Coordinates of all heavy atoms in Angstrom, one line a residue:
G64 N 37.1 90.5 -25.5 CA 36.1 89.7 -26.3 C 36.8 88.6 -27.1 O 36.1 87.9 -27.9
F65 N 38.1 88.4 -26.8 CA 38.8 87.3 -27.7 C 39.6 86.3 -26.7 O 40.5 85.7 -27.1 CB 39.8 88.0 -28.6 CG 39.1 88.6 -29.6 CD1 38.8 90.0 -29.6 CD2 38.7 88.0 -30.9 CE1 38.1 90.6 -30.7 CE2 38.1 88.6 -31.9 CZ 37.7 90.0 -31.8
Q66 N 39.1 86.2 -25.5 CA 39.5 85.2 -24.5 C 38.3 84.8 -23.7 O 37.6 85.6 -23.1 CB 40.5 85.8 -23.5 CG 41.9 86.2 -24.2 CD 42.9 86.7 -23.1 OE1 43.0 86.1 -22.1 NE2 43.6 87.7 -23.5
D67 N 38.0 83.5 -23.9 CA 36.8 82.9 -23.2 C 37.1 81.5 -22.8 O 37.6 80.7 -23.6 CB 35.6 83.0 -24.1 CG 34.3 82.6 -23.4 OD1 34.1 82.8 -22.2 OD2 33.5 82.0 -24.2
K68 N 36.8 81.2 -21.6 CA 37.1 79.8 -21.1 C 38.6 79.5 -21.3 O 39.5 80.3 -20.8 CB 36.3 78.7 -21.7 CG 34.8 78.9 -21.6 CD 33.9 78.0 -22.4 CE 32.4 78.4 -22.2 NZ 31.7 77.5 -23.2
D69 N 39.0 78.5 -22.0 CA 40.4 78.3 -22.3 C 40.8 78.7 -23.7 O 41.9 78.4 -24.2 CB 40.8 76.8 -22.0 CG 40.1 75.8 -23.0 OD1 39.0 76.2 -23.6 OD2 40.6 74.7 -23.1
L70 N 39.9 79.4 -24.3 CA 40.1 79.9 -25.8 C 40.8 81.2 -25.7 O 40.5 82.1 -25.0 CB 38.8 79.9 -26.5 CG 37.9 78.6 -26.5 CD1 36.6 78.9 -27.3 CD2 38.7 77.5 -27.2
Y71 N 41.7 81.4 -26.8 CA 42.3 82.7 -27.0 C 42.9 82.7 -28.4 O 42.9 81.7 -29.0 CB 43.5 82.9 -26.0 CG 44.5 81.9 -26.0 CD1 45.5 81.9 -26.9 CD2 44.4 80.7 -25.2 CE1 46.5 80.8 -27.0 CE2 45.4 79.7 -25.3 CZ 46.4 79.8 -26.2 OH 47.3 78.7 -26.3
V72 N 43.1 83.9 -28.9 CA 43.6 84.1 -30.3 C 45.1 84.2 -30.3 O 45.6 85.0 -29.5 CB 42.9 85.4 -30.9 CG1 43.5 85.6 -32.3 CG2 41.4 85.2 -30.9
F73 N 45.7 83.5 -31.2 CA 47.2 83.7 -31.5 C 47.3 84.1 -33.0 O 46.5 83.6 -33.8 CB 48.0 82.5 -31.1 CG 47.7 81.3 -31.9 CD1 48.3 81.0 -33.1 CD2 46.7 80.4 -31.4 CE1 47.9 79.9 -33.8 CE2 46.3 79.3 -32.2 CZ 47.0 79.0 -33.4
C74 N 48.3 84.8 -33.4 CA 48.5 85.1 -34.8 C 50.0 84.9 -35.2 O 50.9 85.1 -34.4 CB 48.2 86.6 -35.1 SG 46.5 87.1 -34.6
M75 N 50.2 84.5 -36.4 CA 51.5 84.2 -37.0 C 51.6 84.7 -38.4 O 50.6 84.7 -39.1 CB 51.7 82.7 -37.1 CG 51.8 82.0 -35.7 SD 52.2 80.2 -35.8 CE 54.0 80.4 -35.8
D76 N 52.7 84.9 -38.8 CA 53.0 85.3 -40.3 C 53.2 84.0 -41.1 O 53.2 82.9 -40.5 CB 54.1 86.4 -40.5 CG 55.5 85.9 -40.2 OD1 55.7 84.6 -40.2 OD2 56.4 86.7 -40.1
L77 N 53.2 84.1 -42.4 CA 53.3 82.9 -43.2 C 54.7 82.3 -43.3 O 54.9 81.4 -44.0 CB 52.7 83.3 -44.6 CG 51.2 83.7 -44.6 CD1 50.7 84.0 -46.0 CD2 50.4 82.6 -44.0
E78 N 55.6 82.9 -42.6 CA 57.0 82.3 -42.5 C 57.1 81.6 -41.1 O 58.1 81.0 -40.8 CB 58.0 83.4 -42.6 CG 58.3 83.8 -44.0 CD 57.1 84.7 -44.6 OE1 56.7 85.7 -44.0 OE2 56.7 84.3 -45.7
G79 N 56.1 81.6 -40.2 CA 56.2 80.9 -39.0 C 56.5 81.8 -37.7 O 56.7 81.2 -36.7
K80 N 56.5 83.1 -37.9 CA 56.8 83.9 -36.7 C 55.6 84.3 -36.0 O 54.6 84.7 -36.6 CB 57.6 85.3 -37.3 CG 58.0 86.2 -36.2 CD 58.8 87.3 -36.6 CE 58.0 88.5 -36.9 NZ 58.6 89.7 -37.3
M81 N 55.6 84.1 -34.7 CA 54.5 84.4 -33.8 C 54.4 86.0 -33.8 O 55.4 86.6 -33.4 CB 54.8 83.8 -32.5 CG 53.5 84.0 -31.5 SD 52.0 83.0 -32.0 CE 52.6 81.3 -31.7
L82 N 53.2 86.4 -34.0 CA 53.0 87.9 -34.0 C 52.2 88.3 -32.8 O 52.4 89.4 -32.3 CB 52.1 88.3 -35.3 CG 52.8 88.0 -36.6 CD1 51.8 88.3 -37.8 CD2 54.1 88.8 -36.8
S83 N 51.4 87.5 -32.3 CA 50.6 87.8 -31.1 C 50.2 86.5 -30.4 O 49.8 85.5 -31.0 CB 49.3 88.6 -31.5 OG 48.4 88.8 -30.4
H84 N 50.3 86.5 -29.0 CA 50.0 85.4 -28.2 C 49.8 85.9 -26.7 O 50.7 86.2 -26.0 CB 51.1 84.3 -28.2 CG 50.6 83.0 -27.8 ND1 50.1 82.8 -26.5 CD2 50.6 81.8 -28.4 CE1 49.8 81.5 -26.4 NE2 50.0 80.9 -27.5
P85 N 48.5 86.0 -26.3 CA 48.2 86.6 -25.0 C 48.6 85.7 -23.8 O 48.8 86.2 -22.8 CB 46.7 86.7 -25.1 CG 46.2 85.7 -26.0 CD 47.3 85.6 -27.1
K86 N 48.7 84.4 -24.0 CA 49.1 83.5 -22.9 C 50.6 83.2 -22.8 O 51.1 82.9 -21.7 CB 48.3 82.2 -23.0 CG 46.8 82.3 -23.1 CD 46.3 83.0 -21.8 CE 44.8 83.0 -21.8 NZ 44.2 83.7 -20.6
K87 N 51.3 83.4 -23.8 CA 52.7 83.1 -23.9 C 53.4 84.2 -24.7 O 53.9 84.0 -25.8 CB 53.1 81.7 -24.4 CG 52.6 80.5 -23.6 CD 53.2 79.3 -24.1 CE 52.6 78.2 -23.3 NZ 53.5 77.8 -22.1
P88 N 53.5 85.4 -24.1 CA 54.0 86.6 -24.9 C 55.5 86.3 -25.2 O 56.0 87.0 -26.1 CB 53.8 87.7 -23.9 CG 53.5 87.2 -22.6 CD 52.9 85.8 -22.8
E89 N 56.2 85.4 -24.5 CA 57.6 85.2 -24.8 C 57.7 84.6 -26.1 O 58.9 84.6 -26.7 CB 58.2 84.3 -23.6 CG 57.7 82.9 -23.6 CD 56.4 82.7 -22.7 OE1 55.8 83.7 -22.3 OE2 56.1 81.6 -22.4
L90 N 56.7 84.0 -26.7 CA 56.8 83.4 -28.1 C 56.7 84.5 -29.2 O 57.2 84.2 -30.4 CB 55.7 82.4 -28.3 CG 55.6 81.2 -27.4 CD1 54.4 80.3 -27.8 CD2 56.9 80.4 -27.6
V91 N 56.2 85.7 -28.9 CA 56.1 86.8 -30.0 C 57.5 87.1 -30.4 O 58.4 87.3 -29.7 CB 55.4 88.0 -29.3 CG1 55.3 89.2 -30.3 CG2 53.9 87.6 -28.9
G92 N 57.6 87.1 -31.8 CA 58.9 87.4 -32.5 C 59.6 86.2 -32.7 O 60.6 86.3 -33.6
Q93 N 59.2 85.1 -32.3 CA 60.1 83.9 -32.5 C 59.5 83.2 -33.7 O 58.3 83.1 -33.9 CB 60.0 82.9 -31.3 CG 60.7 83.3 -30.1 CD 60.7 82.3 -29.0 OE1 60.9 81.0 -29.3 NE2 60.6 82.6 -27.8
N94 N 60.4 82.6 -34.5 CA 60.0 81.7 -35.7 C 59.8 80.3 -35.1 O 60.7 79.7 -34.6 CB 61.0 81.8 -36.8 CG 60.5 81.1 -38.0 OD1 60.0 79.9 -37.9 ND2 60.3 81.8 -39.1
L95 N 58.6 79.8 -35.3 CA 58.3 78.5 -34.7 C 58.0 77.5 -35.8 O 57.4 76.4 -35.5 CB 57.0 78.7 -33.7 CG 57.3 79.6 -32.6 CD1 56.0 79.9 -31.9 CD2 58.2 79.0 -31.6
L96 N 58.4 77.8 -37.0 CA 58.1 76.8 -38.1 C 58.6 75.4 -37.8 O 57.9 74.5 -38.1 CB 58.7 77.4 -39.4 CG 58.0 76.8 -40.7 CD1 56.6 77.1 -40.7 CD2 58.7 77.5 -41.9
S97 N 59.7 75.3 -37.3 CA 60.3 74.0 -37.1 C 60.2 73.5 -35.7 O 60.7 72.5 -35.3 CB 61.9 74.0 -37.3 OG 62.5 74.9 -36.5
F98 N 59.3 74.2 -34.9 CA 58.9 73.7 -33.5 C 58.4 72.3 -33.6 O 57.5 72.0 -34.4 CB 57.9 74.6 -32.9 CG 57.5 74.3 -31.5 CD1 58.2 74.9 -30.5 CD2 56.4 73.4 -31.3 CE1 57.9 74.5 -29.1 CE2 56.0 73.2 -29.9 CZ 56.7 73.7 -28.9
D99 N 59.0 71.4 -32.8 CA 58.6 69.9 -32.8 C 58.7 69.3 -31.4 O 59.1 68.2 -31.3 CB 59.4 69.2 -33.9 CG 58.9 67.8 -34.1 OD1 57.9 67.4 -33.7 OD2 59.6 67.0 -34.7
K100 N 58.4 70.0 -30.4 CA 58.7 69.6 -29.0 C 57.7 68.5 -28.7 O 58.0 67.6 -27.8 CB 58.4 70.8 -28.1 CG 58.7 70.4 -26.6 CD 58.6 71.7 -25.7 CE 59.0 71.4 -24.3 NZ 58.9 72.6 -23.5
Y101 N 56.5 68.3 -29.3 CA 55.5 67.4 -28.9 C 55.2 66.4 -29.9 O 54.1 65.7 -29.8 CB 54.2 68.1 -28.4 CG 54.5 69.2 -27.3 CD1 54.3 70.5 -27.6 CD2 55.1 68.9 -26.1 CE1 54.5 71.5 -26.5 CE2 55.3 69.8 -25.1 CZ 55.1 71.1 -25.4 OH 55.4 72.0 -24.4
G102 N 56.1 66.2 -30.9 CA 55.9 65.1 -31.8 C 55.5 65.4 -33.2 O 55.4 64.6 -34.0
D103 N 55.2 66.7 -33.5 CA 54.9 67.1 -34.9 C 55.1 68.6 -35.0 O 55.3 69.3 -34.1 CB 53.5 66.7 -35.2 CG 52.4 67.4 -34.5 OD1 52.6 68.5 -34.0 OD2 51.3 66.8 -34.5
K104 N 55.2 69.0 -36.3 CA 55.5 70.4 -36.6 C 54.2 71.1 -36.8 O 53.7 71.4 -37.9 CB 56.4 70.5 -37.8 CG 57.8 70.0 -37.6 CD 58.7 70.2 -38.7 CE 60.1 69.7 -38.4 NZ 61.0 70.0 -39.5
L105 N 53.5 71.4 -35.7 CA 52.1 71.9 -35.7 C 52.0 73.3 -36.4 O 51.2 73.6 -37.1 CB 51.5 72.0 -34.3 CG 52.2 72.9 -33.3 CD1 51.2 73.8 -32.5 CD2 52.9 72.0 -32.2
F106 N 53.0 74.2 -36.1 CA 53.1 75.5 -36.7 C 53.3 75.4 -38.1 O 52.7 76.2 -38.9 CB 54.0 76.4 -35.9 CG 53.7 76.6 -34.4 CD1 54.5 76.1 -33.5 CD2 52.5 77.3 -34.0 CE1 54.2 76.3 -32.2 CE2 52.2 77.5 -32.7 CZ 53.0 76.9 -31.8
E107 N 54.1 74.5 -38.6 CA 54.3 74.3 -40.0 C 53.0 73.9 -40.7 O 52.7 74.4 -41.8 CB 55.4 73.2 -40.3 CG 55.7 73.0 -41.7 CD 56.8 72.0 -41.9 OE1 58.0 72.4 -41.7 OE2 56.5 70.8 -42.2
K108 N 52.2 73.0 -40.1 CA 51.0 72.6 -40.5 C 49.9 73.8 -40.6 O 49.2 73.9 -41.5 CB 50.3 71.5 -39.7 CG 51.1 70.2 -40.0 CD 50.3 69.0 -39.3 CE 50.7 68.6 -37.9 NZ 50.1 67.5 -37.4
M109 N 50.1 74.7 -39.5 CA 49.1 75.8 -39.5 C 49.5 76.7 -40.7 O 48.6 77.3 -41.4 CB 49.3 76.6 -38.2 CG 48.6 75.8 -37.0 SD 48.9 76.7 -35.5 CE 48.4 75.5 -34.3
V110 N 50.8 77.1 -40.9 CA 51.2 77.9 -42.1 C 50.7 77.2 -43.3 O 50.2 78.0 -44.2 CB 52.7 78.1 -42.0 CG1 53.2 78.7 -43.4 CG2 53.1 79.0 -40.8
E111 N 50.9 76.0 -43.6 CA 50.4 75.3 -44.8 C 49.0 75.4 -45.0 O 48.5 75.7 -46.1 CB 50.9 73.8 -44.8 CG 52.3 73.6 -45.0 CD 52.6 72.0 -44.6 OE1 51.7 71.2 -44.5 OE2 53.9 71.8 -44.6

Side-chain angles (χ1 to χ4, degrees):
F65 291 91
Q66 294 184 42
D67 185 31
K68 300 176 186 171
D69 65 338
L70 305 176
Y71 57 86
V72 177
F73 63 90
C74 302
M75 297 184 86
D76 70 15
L77 297 180
E78 282 71 51
K80 183 171 90 176
M81 187 68 70
L82 302 174
S83 174
H84 198 297
K86 301 298 182 183
K87 294 191 180 271
E89 65 275 12
L90 296 178
V91 175
Q93 292 189 37
N94 188 302
L95 300 168
L96 199 59
S97 61
F98 181 91
D99 190 10
K100 186 175 180 180
Y101 305 117
D103 63 28
K104 294 186 176 182
L105 63 131
F106 297 113
E107 184 178 278
K108 290 193 268 184
M109 289 179 191
V110 167
E111 288 171 4

